[in-house]
Coordinates of all heavy atoms in Angstrom, one line a residue:
P156 N 90.9 -176.6 -238.8 CA 90.1 -175.5 -238.4 C 89.9 -174.5 -239.6 O 90.8 -174.4 -240.4 CB 90.9 -174.8 -237.3 CG 91.9 -175.8 -236.8 CD 92.2 -176.7 -238.0
T157 N 88.7 -173.9 -239.7 CA 88.4 -173.0 -240.8 C 88.0 -171.7 -240.2 O 87.9 -171.5 -239.0 CB 87.2 -173.5 -241.6 OG1 86.0 -173.4 -240.8 CG2 87.4 -175.0 -241.9
A158 N 87.8 -170.7 -241.1 CA 87.4 -169.4 -240.7 C 86.0 -169.4 -240.1 O 85.7 -168.4 -239.4 CB 87.4 -168.4 -241.9
R159 N 85.3 -170.5 -240.2 CA 83.9 -170.5 -239.6 C 84.1 -170.5 -238.0 O 83.1 -170.2 -237.3 CB 83.2 -171.8 -240.0 CG 82.9 -171.8 -241.5 CD 81.9 -172.9 -241.8 NE 82.4 -174.3 -241.6 CZ 83.1 -175.0 -242.5 NH1 83.4 -174.5 -243.6 NH2 83.6 -176.2 -242.2
L160 N 85.2 -170.8 -237.5 CA 85.5 -170.7 -236.1 C 85.2 -169.3 -235.5 O 84.8 -169.1 -234.4 CB 86.9 -171.1 -235.7 CG 87.3 -172.5 -235.6 CD1 88.7 -172.6 -235.2 CD2 86.4 -173.2 -234.6
R161 N 85.3 -168.3 -236.4 CA 85.0 -166.9 -235.9 C 83.6 -166.8 -235.3 O 83.4 -166.1 -234.4 CB 85.2 -165.9 -237.0 CG 85.1 -164.5 -236.5 CD 85.4 -163.4 -237.6 NE 85.3 -162.1 -237.0 CZ 86.3 -161.4 -236.5 NH1 87.5 -161.9 -236.5 NH2 86.1 -160.2 -236.0
H162 N 82.6 -167.5 -236.0 CA 81.3 -167.4 -235.5 C 81.2 -168.0 -234.1 O 80.5 -167.5 -233.2 CB 80.3 -168.2 -236.4 CG 80.3 -167.7 -237.8 ND1 80.0 -166.4 -238.2 CD2 80.5 -168.4 -239.0 CE1 80.1 -166.3 -239.5 NE2 80.4 -167.5 -240.0
V163 N 81.9 -169.1 -233.8 CA 81.9 -169.8 -232.5 C 82.5 -168.9 -231.5 O 82.1 -168.7 -230.4 CB 82.6 -171.2 -232.6 CG1 82.5 -171.9 -231.3 CG2 81.9 -172.0 -233.7
A164 N 83.7 -168.3 -231.9 CA 84.4 -167.4 -231.0 C 83.5 -166.2 -230.6 O 83.5 -165.8 -229.5 CB 85.7 -167.0 -231.6
H165 N 82.9 -165.7 -231.6 CA 82.0 -164.5 -231.4 C 80.9 -164.8 -230.4 O 80.6 -164.1 -229.5 CB 81.4 -164.0 -232.7 CG 80.5 -162.8 -232.6 ND1 80.9 -161.6 -232.3 CD2 79.1 -162.7 -232.7 CE1 79.9 -160.7 -232.2 NE2 78.8 -161.4 -232.4
L166 N 80.3 -166.0 -230.5 CA 79.3 -166.4 -229.6 C 79.9 -166.7 -228.2 O 79.2 -166.3 -227.2 CB 78.6 -167.7 -230.1 CG 77.4 -168.2 -229.4 CD1 76.3 -167.2 -229.4 CD2 76.9 -169.5 -229.9
G167 N 81.1 -167.2 -228.2 CA 81.7 -167.3 -226.9 C 81.9 -166.0 -226.2 O 81.7 -165.9 -224.9
V168 N 82.3 -165.0 -226.9 CA 82.4 -163.7 -226.3 C 81.1 -163.1 -225.9 O 80.9 -162.5 -224.8 CB 83.1 -162.7 -227.3 CG1 83.2 -161.3 -226.8 CG2 84.6 -163.2 -227.6
R169 N 80.1 -163.2 -226.7 CA 78.8 -162.7 -226.5 C 78.1 -163.3 -225.3 O 77.2 -162.7 -224.6 CB 77.9 -162.8 -227.7 CG 78.3 -161.9 -228.9 CD 77.9 -160.5 -228.6 NE 76.5 -160.3 -228.4 CZ 75.5 -160.2 -229.3 NH1 75.9 -160.2 -230.6 NH2 74.3 -160.0 -229.0
T170 N 78.4 -164.6 -225.0 CA 77.8 -165.3 -223.9 C 78.5 -165.2 -222.5 O 78.2 -165.9 -221.6 CB 77.6 -166.8 -224.2 OG1 78.8 -167.3 -224.6 CG2 76.6 -166.9 -225.4
R171 N 79.5 -164.3 -222.5 CA 80.2 -164.1 -221.2 C 79.3 -163.9 -220.0 O 79.4 -164.6 -219.0 CB 81.2 -163.0 -221.4 CG 82.1 -162.8 -220.1 CD 82.7 -161.4 -220.1 NE 81.7 -160.4 -219.7 CZ 82.0 -159.1 -219.4 NH1 83.3 -158.7 -219.4 NH2 81.1 -158.3 -219.0
D172 N 78.5 -162.9 -220.1 CA 77.6 -162.6 -218.9 C 76.7 -163.8 -218.6 O 76.4 -164.1 -217.4 CB 76.8 -161.4 -219.2 CG 77.7 -160.1 -219.2 OD1 78.9 -160.2 -219.0 OD2 77.1 -159.0 -219.4
F173 N 76.2 -164.4 -219.6 CA 75.3 -165.6 -219.4 C 76.0 -166.7 -218.6 O 75.4 -167.3 -217.7 CB 74.8 -166.2 -220.8 CG 74.3 -167.6 -220.7 CD1 73.0 -167.7 -220.2 CD2 75.0 -168.7 -221.1 CE1 72.4 -169.0 -220.2 CE2 74.5 -169.9 -221.0 CZ 73.2 -170.1 -220.6
A174 N 77.3 -166.9 -218.9 CA 78.0 -167.9 -218.2 C 78.1 -167.6 -216.7 O 78.0 -168.5 -215.9 CB 79.4 -168.1 -218.8
F175 N 78.3 -166.3 -216.4 CA 78.3 -166.0 -214.9 C 76.9 -166.2 -214.3 O 76.8 -166.7 -213.2 CB 78.8 -164.5 -214.8 CG 80.3 -164.3 -214.9 CD1 80.9 -164.2 -216.1 CD2 81.0 -164.3 -213.7 CE1 82.3 -164.0 -216.1 CE2 82.4 -164.1 -213.7 CZ 83.0 -164.0 -215.0
V176 N 75.9 -165.7 -215.0 CA 74.5 -165.8 -214.5 C 74.1 -167.2 -214.2 O 73.5 -167.5 -213.1 CB 73.5 -165.1 -215.4 CG1 72.1 -165.4 -215.0 CG2 73.8 -163.6 -215.5
V177 N 74.4 -168.2 -215.1 CA 74.0 -169.6 -214.8 C 74.7 -170.2 -213.7 O 74.3 -171.3 -213.2 CB 74.0 -170.4 -216.1 CG1 73.1 -169.9 -217.2 CG2 75.4 -170.5 -216.6
H178 N 75.8 -169.6 -213.3 CA 76.6 -170.1 -212.1 C 76.3 -169.2 -210.9 O 77.0 -169.3 -209.9 CB 78.1 -170.0 -212.4 CG 78.6 -171.1 -213.3 ND1 78.6 -171.1 -214.7 CD2 79.1 -172.4 -213.0 CE1 79.0 -172.2 -215.2 NE2 79.3 -173.0 -214.2
D179 N 75.2 -168.5 -211.0 CA 74.7 -167.6 -209.9 C 75.8 -166.6 -209.4 O 76.0 -166.4 -208.2 CB 74.3 -168.5 -208.7 CG 73.1 -169.4 -209.0 OD1 72.2 -168.9 -209.7 OD2 73.1 -170.5 -208.6
R180 N 76.5 -166.1 -210.4 CA 77.5 -165.1 -210.1 C 77.2 -163.8 -210.9 O 76.6 -163.8 -212.0 CB 78.9 -165.6 -210.5 CG 79.3 -166.8 -209.7 CD 80.6 -167.3 -210.0 NE 81.7 -166.4 -209.8 CZ 83.0 -166.7 -209.8 NH1 83.3 -167.9 -210.0 NH2 83.9 -165.7 -209.6
T181 N 77.6 -162.7 -210.3 CA 77.3 -161.4 -211.0 C 78.3 -161.2 -212.1 O 79.5 -161.3 -212.0 CB 77.5 -160.2 -210.0 OG1 76.6 -160.4 -208.9 CG2 77.2 -158.9 -210.6
P182 N 77.8 -160.8 -213.3 CA 78.7 -160.6 -214.5 C 79.6 -159.4 -214.2 O 79.2 -158.5 -213.5 CB 77.7 -160.3 -215.6 CG 76.4 -160.9 -215.2 CD 76.3 -160.8 -213.7
P183 N 80.7 -159.4 -214.8 CA 81.7 -158.3 -214.7 C 81.0 -157.0 -215.2 O 80.2 -157.1 -216.2 CB 82.9 -158.7 -215.5 CG 82.8 -160.2 -215.6 CD 81.3 -160.6 -215.6
A184 N 81.4 -155.9 -214.6 CA 80.8 -154.6 -215.0 C 81.4 -154.1 -216.3 O 80.7 -153.4 -217.1 CB 80.9 -153.6 -213.9
E185 N 82.7 -154.4 -216.6 CA 83.4 -153.9 -217.7 C 83.7 -155.0 -218.8 O 83.8 -156.1 -218.4 CB 84.7 -153.3 -217.2 CG 84.6 -152.2 -216.2 CD 83.8 -151.0 -216.7 OE1 83.9 -150.7 -218.0 OE2 83.2 -150.3 -216.0
P186 N 83.7 -154.6 -220.0 CA 84.0 -155.5 -221.1 C 85.5 -156.0 -221.0 O 86.3 -155.3 -220.4 CB 83.8 -154.8 -222.4 CG 84.0 -153.3 -222.0 CD 83.5 -153.2 -220.6
F187 N 85.8 -157.2 -221.5 CA 87.1 -157.7 -221.6 C 87.7 -157.4 -223.0 O 86.9 -157.3 -224.0 CB 87.2 -159.2 -221.3 CG 86.7 -159.6 -220.0 CD1 86.3 -160.9 -219.8 CD2 86.7 -158.7 -218.9 CE1 85.8 -161.3 -218.5 CE2 86.2 -159.1 -217.7 CZ 85.8 -160.5 -217.5
R188 N 89.0 -157.5 -223.1 CA 89.6 -157.5 -224.4 C 89.9 -159.0 -224.7 O 90.5 -159.7 -223.9 CB 91.0 -156.8 -224.4 CG 91.7 -156.8 -225.7 CD 91.0 -156.0 -226.8 NE 91.9 -155.7 -227.9 CZ 91.5 -155.1 -229.0 NH1 90.2 -154.7 -229.1 NH2 92.3 -154.8 -230.0
V189 N 89.4 -159.5 -225.9 CA 89.6 -160.9 -226.3 C 90.4 -160.8 -227.6 O 89.9 -160.2 -228.6 CB 88.3 -161.6 -226.5 CG1 88.6 -163.1 -226.9 CG2 87.5 -161.7 -225.1
R190 N 91.6 -161.4 -227.6 CA 92.4 -161.4 -228.8 C 92.9 -162.8 -229.1 O 93.6 -163.4 -228.3 CB 93.6 -160.5 -228.5 CG 94.5 -160.1 -229.7 CD 95.6 -159.1 -229.3 NE 96.3 -158.6 -230.5 CZ 97.3 -159.2 -231.1 NH1 97.7 -160.4 -230.7 NH2 97.8 -158.7 -232.2
L191 N 92.4 -163.3 -230.2 CA 92.6 -164.7 -230.6 C 93.4 -164.9 -231.9 O 93.1 -164.1 -232.8 CB 91.3 -165.4 -230.7 CG 90.3 -165.3 -229.5 CD1 89.0 -166.0 -229.8 CD2 91.0 -166.0 -228.2
D192 N 94.3 -165.8 -231.9 CA 95.0 -166.2 -233.1 C 94.2 -167.1 -234.0 O 93.9 -168.2 -233.6 CB 96.3 -166.9 -232.7 CG 97.2 -166.0 -231.8 OD1 97.3 -164.8 -232.1 OD2 97.8 -166.5 -230.8
A193 N 93.8 -166.6 -235.2 CA 92.9 -167.3 -236.1 C 93.7 -168.4 -236.8 O 94.9 -168.4 -236.9 CB 92.3 -166.3 -237.1
P194 N 93.0 -169.4 -237.4 CA 93.6 -170.5 -238.1 C 94.5 -170.0 -239.2 O 95.5 -170.7 -239.6 CB 92.4 -171.3 -238.6 CG 91.3 -171.0 -237.6 CD 91.5 -169.6 -237.3
D195 N 94.1 -168.9 -239.9 CA 94.9 -168.4 -241.0 C 96.1 -167.5 -240.7 O 96.7 -166.9 -241.5 CB 94.0 -167.7 -242.0 CG 93.4 -166.4 -241.5 OD1 93.6 -166.1 -240.3 OD2 92.6 -165.8 -242.2
G196 N 96.3 -167.4 -239.4 CA 97.4 -166.5 -238.9 C 97.1 -165.1 -238.6 O 97.9 -164.3 -238.1
T197 N 95.9 -164.7 -238.9 CA 95.4 -163.3 -238.6 C 95.0 -163.3 -237.1 O 95.0 -164.4 -236.4 CB 94.3 -162.9 -239.5 OG1 93.2 -163.8 -239.3 CG2 94.7 -162.9 -240.9
V198 N 94.5 -162.2 -236.6 CA 94.1 -162.0 -235.2 C 92.6 -161.6 -235.2 O 92.3 -160.7 -236.0 CB 95.0 -161.0 -234.5 CG1 94.4 -160.8 -233.1 CG2 96.4 -161.5 -234.4
W199 N 91.8 -162.2 -234.4 CA 90.4 -161.8 -234.2 C 90.4 -161.1 -232.8 O 90.9 -161.6 -231.8 CB 89.5 -163.0 -234.2 CG 89.5 -163.7 -235.5 CD1 89.8 -163.3 -236.7 CD2 89.1 -165.1 -235.7 NE1 89.6 -164.2 -237.7 CE2 89.2 -165.4 -237.0 CE3 88.7 -166.1 -234.8 CZ2 88.9 -166.6 -237.6 CZ3 88.4 -167.4 -235.3 CH2 88.5 -167.6 -236.7
E200 N 89.7 -159.9 -232.8 CA 89.7 -159.1 -231.6 C 88.2 -158.7 -231.2 O 87.5 -158.3 -232.1 CB 90.6 -157.9 -231.7 CG 92.0 -158.3 -231.9 CD 92.9 -157.0 -232.2 OE1 92.7 -156.3 -233.2 OE2 93.8 -156.8 -231.4
W201 N 88.0 -158.6 -229.9 CA 86.7 -158.1 -229.4 C 87.1 -157.2 -228.2 O 88.0 -157.5 -227.5 CB 85.8 -159.2 -229.0 CG 85.2 -160.1 -230.0 CD1 84.0 -159.9 -230.7 CD2 85.9 -161.2 -230.6 NE1 83.9 -160.9 -231.6 CE2 85.0 -161.7 -231.6 CE3 87.1 -161.8 -230.4 CZ2 85.3 -162.8 -232.4 CZ3 87.4 -163.0 -231.2 CH2 86.5 -163.5 -232.1

Side-chain angles (χ1 to χ4, degrees):
T157 72
R159 295 191 297 271
L160 277 182
R161 186 178 179 92
H162 303 304
V163 182
H165 180 70
L166 188 59
V168 173
R169 290 286 303 275
T170 53
R171 184 201 72 171
D172 290 359
F173 164 77
F175 278 87
V176 169
V177 296
H178 284 87
D179 296 321
R180 296 180 61 170
T181 301
E185 302 297 330
F187 299 158
R188 179 68 163 176
V189 179
R190 192 175 190 276
L191 305 175
D192 300 318
D195 65 357
T197 61
V198 175
W199 296 337
E200 296 176 300
W201 293 263

